[in-house]
């Protein structure tokens, strides 16, 4: 999927919501545990109930890997279900990968070709030759960690190199990578005030913004500083939506939470015009 | 496995060699492709032929993920084979993971509990709360990326924050993490001259050193600057050993290459005493 199609979907659905599928078997409704593949059944119900309210879904790969081969099967079924039934949805493998060249190519193949994700999150620590292998896939997107939403972001990301924070160095340098047009960036909602400066460096790029809701980020603040002509934002919410209820009504409860966010986004998009 | 046992193995085998199991089906001997699980069969033969010469094995997880569920099965079989037949061997999941707290915990469970690896490589970009979840597992080790062996290492890792290179900041700050005694560090062999400065910061830690051989690093140089009282080095070689031959004699050819390195290491250990 290219960004033009993504922007069309945003205006069609009046939403720039991304739903994080971080499925933890300790948190899903108990009645699902009797089923053969509770993770997939949970995802399927959440997706069916929310697909008209969200433009993107983001399975966090750790939650699947933690269940070994069973987890990988659930992941495969989930991405296949999305691609088959809702091909208009943008899919993100939240994998935070990054390795030397030939190894990054293997990861890119795993997520872009084998699993057919539209995008993957990638860590920048190892530099250019660890990121460019992901960028070489056409109509696939590499979402580079810039400024994350956790406390540890202040350990290194906000430290200054020659007067400029590491995360700004990451963003600026990445603009010169081959196929940089396929880049998006992770910028945590808990640091909304940083967004205007980031927009100064990358006015046109899409930003994936985690941390709204459970982690305390504020949607209006993020949009105030981060929205651009093409909207340019994907706001992720995971736990706040998918664990809205642990009873049999969980999918409907998730849809209600997603609707709340979608309504706020609709208003922001109206106001923006 | 704790580091005391690892050091005992090093002196017993007169080797601090780690063999990287980066199995690419395009590179394994053709006759294996007829088998049900060529990746595992390849690994099994390499391990059986070299286990007396190496103290550690390091499957690069990307190479398994690239083959989807089939790849995960090969990985499971490989680590189970190692743990069952050669429990004295130190095992490294070269996964380069790192995510916010609860997600890092899921990755730690996947590799430490489910797959029973002794250690995992972790990227430091997201800071303390992304690394500490890995450190909380007893007798398991977290191998933090410090200075990698690729060209991209110069993009950020060697840039200075308040007069000190990012990789040195990473090493120094990580020393204050909870359970820091479970840390080891990745330091590329292609940058051997940096090792004496690194030893100034962490005289006692184990270093995992990739880049000897195929990537041009020099064993003698690395040892000159990096060896400590407990040896403190695991020298990794992947392609140089496992792809020494693509004919039916591949396991023997790998053993010959491993023996060359082991003999050099034996001499270094003798000279050291």
């Amino acid at each position: 999927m290219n960004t033009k199609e993504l922007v069309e979907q945003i205006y069609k659905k009046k939403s720039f919501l991304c739903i994080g599928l971080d499925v933890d078997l300790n948190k899903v409704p108990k009645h699902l545990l009797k089923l053969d593949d509770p993770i997939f059944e949970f995802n399927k119900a959440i997706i069916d109930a929310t697909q008209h309210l969200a433009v993107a879904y983001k399975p966090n790969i750790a939650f699947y890997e933690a269940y070994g081969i069973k987890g990988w099967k659930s992941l495969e079924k989930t991405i296949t279900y999305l691609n088959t039934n809702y091909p208009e949805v943008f899919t993100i493998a939240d994998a935070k990968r990054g390795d030397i060249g030939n190894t990054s190519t293997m990861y890119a193949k795993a997520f872009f070709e084998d699993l057919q994700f539209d995008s993957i999150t990638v860590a920048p620590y190892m530099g250019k030759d660890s990121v460019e292998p992901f960028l070489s896939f056409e109509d696939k997107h590499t979402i580079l960690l810039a400024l994350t939403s956790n406390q540890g972001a202040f350990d290194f990301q906000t430290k200054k190199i020659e007067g400029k924070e590491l995360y700004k160095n990451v963003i600026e340098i990445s603009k010169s990578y081959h196929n940089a047009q396929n880049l998006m960036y992770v910028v945590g909602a808990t640091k909304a005030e940083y967004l205007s400066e980031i927009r100064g460096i990358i006015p046109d790029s899409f930003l994936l913004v985690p941390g709204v809701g459970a982690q305390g980020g504020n949607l209006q603040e993020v949009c105030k500083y981060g929205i651009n002509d093409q909207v340019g934002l994907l706001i992720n919410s995971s736990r706040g939506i998918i664990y809205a209820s642990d009873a049999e009504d969980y999918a409907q409860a998730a849809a209600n939470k997603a609707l709340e966010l979608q309504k706020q986004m609709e208003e922001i998009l109206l106001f923006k015009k």
Side-chain angles (χ1 to χ4, degrees), chain A:
Chain A
M1 181 184 262
N2 60 39
T3 47
K4 189 168 161 281
E5 292 165 323
L6 175 58
V7 175
E8 282 169 10
Q9 285 299 315
I10 288 173
Y11 281 110
K12 191 175 165 195
K13 291 183 176 171
K14 301 182 177 65
S15 168
F16 39 101
L17 178 62
C18 173
I19 296 181
L21 300 171
D22 305 358
V23 187
D24 182 341
L25 287 181
N26 296 316
K27 290 187 184 160
V28 305
K30 295 285 168 284
H31 72 281
L32 292 177
L33 300 179
K34 291 174 295 198
L35 303 174
D36 183 47
D37 188 345
I39 296 179
F40 172 66
E41 296 300 336
F42 179 82
N43 283 345
K44 183 174 172 294
I46 296 276
I47 292 164
D48 287 340
T50 59
Q51 49 80 26
H52 57 299
L53 303 168
V55 291
Y57 288 87
K58 178 176 77 62
N60 188 322
I61 307 306
F63 286 75
Y64 300 83
E65 273 190 14
Y67 298 108
I69 286 164
K70 225 173 143 64
W72 268 90
K73 281 189 183 157
S74 305
L75 179 66
E76 270 199 10
K77 281 162 77 179
T78 300
I79 183 68
T80 302
Y81 187 77
L82 278 166
N83 284 334
T84 307
N85 296 283
Y86 308 109
E88 73 283 5
V89 151
F90 186 74
T91 54
I92 303 168
D94 195 1
K96 301 189 175 70
R97 299 296 191 261
D99 207 310
I100 59 172
N102 64 332
T103 310
S104 276
T105 301
M106 296 304 268
Y107 279 129
K109 281 186 181 165
F111 290 101
F112 290 156
E113 290 184 352
D114 196 38
L115 294 173
Q116 290 281 315
F117 274 96
D118 291 313
S119 66
I120 183 174
T121 56
V122 167
Y125 190 73
M126 294 179 70
K128 179 173 174 161
D129 53 1
S130 72
V131 178
E132 284 189 339
F134 292 98
L135 292 173
S136 65
F137 290 73
E138 205 177 343
D139 283 346
K140 300 287 184 181
H141 299 270
T142 302
I143 312 181
L144 201 60
L145 301 187
L147 187 61
T148 55
S149 59
N150 62 321
Q151 188 57 31
F154 298 105
D155 281 8
F156 309 115
Q157 296 168 24
T158 56
K159 295 279 171 68
K160 288 186 176 173
I161 292 171
E162 288 164 18
K164 193 175 287 173
E165 292 87 346
L166 173 59
Y167 78 89
K168 285 190 196 160
N169 275 277
V170 165
I171 295 172
E172 285 201 349
I173 289 173
S174 70
K175 286 169 68 180
S176 69
Y177 290 172
H178 194 59
N179 291 315
Q181 76 279 5
N182 292 335
L183 278 170
M184 299 181 173
Y185 299 88
V186 172
V187 179
T190 47
K191 299 168 185 72
E193 68 276 19
Y194 292 79
L195 276 163
S196 59
E197 287 184 52
I198 289 171
R199 276 296 177 215
I201 313 173
I202 38 166
D204 301 323
S205 301
F206 256 88
L207 309 179
L208 171 64
V209 184
V212 165
Q215 290 177 64
N218 178 296
L219 178 62
Q220 278 70 24
E221 284 282 297
V222 168
C223 292
K224 179 177 161 190
Y225 297 112
I227 212 159
N228 69 10
D229 284 352
Q230 305 272 293
V231 185
L233 294 172
L234 291 172
I235 305 286
N236 183 74
S237 177
S238 304
R239 286 167 283 171
I241 291 178
I242 68 173
Y243 299 130
S245 159
D246 62 359
E248 297 214 1
D249 68 341
Y250 71 99
Q252 187 53 51
N256 293 344
K257 284 287 175 189
L259 182 65
E260 275 177 33
L261 281 166
Q262 184 273 324
K263 283 291 166 206
Q264 293 179 49
M265 290 175 179
E266 185 169 350
E267 204 167 310
I268 289 164
L269 290 175
L270 258 176
F271 180 77
K272 178 182 171 293
K273 271 183 181 167

